[in-house]
Amino acid sequence: MNATSAEAEQPPGRIILLTTSHRVAPGLLSWSAWQTLHGADRVLCADGAHPQLPYLREAGISVDEASPTAEELVDICAGGRTVVVVATGEGEPALTDGLARLAGSGRFHMPDLELLPASYDLPGARLLDLVQVMDRIRSECPWSSQQTHKGLAKYAIEEAYELVEAIEDGDADELREELGDVLLQVVFHARIAEEDTDSPYSIDDVAAGIVTKLIHRHPHVFGDETATTPEEVKEHWLRTKAAEKRRTSVTDGVPLGQPGLALAAKLASRARTAGLDVPLPKAEGVGYELLALASRAEADGVDPEAALRAAARAYRDAIKDAEG
């Protein structure tokens, strides 16, 4: 439509590109989006299977399944009409690029072009993408479809150590990537658990469990108790944890398979927190010397495992320097 003088006098109208998030349930649109849809002269959508269409039609909005070119859309708007384009998942790049070319040519009386996000992702919404991707990989990947909890266990340990290394290196980008790798382990195991014939559960069950636990163990946040120091918070945590687990010893639940220094420090922490004055075993040997060092470090607020790793890294650097 070349702009003649008569056509140039007509109001150009409006094109509103309405976008929605597939991570939000269809039909949950903003109030401004509903107002715009009801007030539009025409509503167009190129995808007849768009998940929003049944809800728009249920609300009395007539939607034409059409994918006009940029020039055809400008023609539809002529005379001041408002046209809403319900964007597909790709966001209609071909249409917006075409409108940009028409506007740049200077030969067309262009309508106003607006972008209207009708629904927004909530924090954590991308986790839904991860669950969907993991589901497809589990179903279609020859390797992933055969994995078991036991087979994946070593990867969880490896990823945890790589996460610790990224923290110690202070590399934010590396830390973000390693957090993703650790998160993958959680989602992968939860997806495998869905197939358990005896006690199946899903990632939602895993999340629900940790939410319940966090709320219960933070009565100073979600309940009537108070805590003004980290020590009081830890006291709340240990007390509620003991009640949940019905443990008979402060050592119950301490994983014996963890690295030795971390294990020694954890046991010393449990005893100290419980107010137990337990003398260290008296015996000769490097193991008992390390036990004493780990206990002393824990009492001083030092993580002996992290301290040893830092010293080992310094030793590694010294070896590299000696190698030239």
Side-chain angles (χ1 to χ4, degrees):
M1 181 186 72
N2 293 325
T4 64
S5 58
E7 291 169 338
E9 294 177 357
Q10 296 182 357
R14 287 196 304 163
I15 299 172
I16 299 175
L17 185 63
L18 187 141
T19 61
T20 56
S21 171
H22 68 277
R23 304 178 191 93
V24 177
L28 296 180
L29 308 181
S30 65
W31 177 242
S32 60
W34 284 117
Q35 286 182 309
T36 300
L37 287 163
H38 280 291
D41 294 291
R42 287 190 68 182
V43 178
L44 309 177
C45 183
D47 180 9
H50 196 293
Q52 299 290 350
L53 296 192
Y55 298 91
L56 300 186
R57 288 168 175 151
E58 185 178 351
I61 297 169
S62 176
V63 182
D64 297 328
E65 296 177 18
S67 53
T69 64
E71 189 167 346
E72 290 170 342
L73 191 55
V74 171
D75 284 337
I76 294 172
C77 291
R81 289 185 288 272
T82 295
V83 177
V84 174
V85 177
V86 179
T88 58
E90 292 74 25
E92 309 299 335
L95 179 60
T96 54
D97 288 348
L99 290 170
R101 284 193 295 271
L102 293 184
S105 72
R107 299 183 296 109
F108 294 85
H109 194 200
M110 297 297 296
D112 294 330
L113 179 62
E114 300 176 18
L115 176 64
L116 177 59
S119 59
Y120 301 84
D121 288 346
L122 295 173
R126 295 306 297 269
L127 293 174
L128 299 176
D129 291 345
L130 176 57
V131 172
Q132 291 175 350
V133 168
M134 187 68 253
D135 183 66
R136 183 169 179 181
I137 290 174
R138 177 66 174 175
S139 301
E140 301 180 18
C141 173
W143 184 85
S144 298
S145 62
Q146 300 301 314
Q147 296 310 301
T148 64
H149 293 304
K150 289 183 178 179
L152 290 177
K154 62 180 180 180
Y155 299 110
I157 296 172
E158 291 174 3
E159 298 299 353
Y161 277 120
E162 290 179 7
L163 172 62
V164 171
E165 184 174 359
I167 292 172
E168 292 176 343
D169 287 342
D171 187 324
D173 291 335
E174 187 72 14
L175 176 56
R176 181 178 65 249
E177 180 177 346
E178 297 302 337
L179 285 170
D181 290 342
V182 171
L183 178 60
L184 170 60
Q185 298 303 310
V186 176
V187 175
F188 203 160
H189 280 282
R191 178 59 183 82
I192 293 173
E194 291 184 27
E195 302 167 9
D196 191 298
T197 55
D198 297 324
S199 302
Y201 58 85
S202 69
I203 189 64
D204 288 316
D205 298 313
V206 173
I210 191 61
V211 166
T212 300
K213 180 186 293 185
L214 287 173
I215 292 174
H216 187 236
R217 293 189 185 177
H218 289 78
H220 54 289
V221 176
F222 301 99
D224 298 329
E225 297 194 34
T226 59
T228 57
T229 66
E231 290 73 22
E232 290 177 340
V233 172
K234 188 174 183 180
E235 181 183 346
H236 284 317
W237 181 275
L238 293 177
R239 186 171 64 251
T240 55
K241 185 175 182 179
E244 291 169 4
K245 303 294 184 180
R246 300 180 184 276
R247 289 170 174 165
T248 58
S249 170
V250 296
T251 65
D252 290 347
V254 176
L256 299 180
Q258 63 183 300
L261 283 177
L263 172 60
K266 189 66 174 180
L267 291 171
S269 173
R270 288 287 183 91
R272 183 174 57 82
T273 303
L276 299 174
D277 185 12
V278 182
L280 295 175
K282 299 295 184 182
E284 298 294 329
V286 174
Y288 291 94
E289 293 174 9
L290 291 173
L291 174 62
L293 284 173
S295 178
R296 191 184 79 191
E298 192 281 329
D300 292 340
V302 176
D303 180 349
E305 190 74 29
L308 180 57
R309 279 198 307 272
R313 289 159 71 92
Y315 184 40
R316 178 204 60 186
D317 295 340
I319 293 172
K320 287 186 175 180
D321 291 340
E323 291 172 332

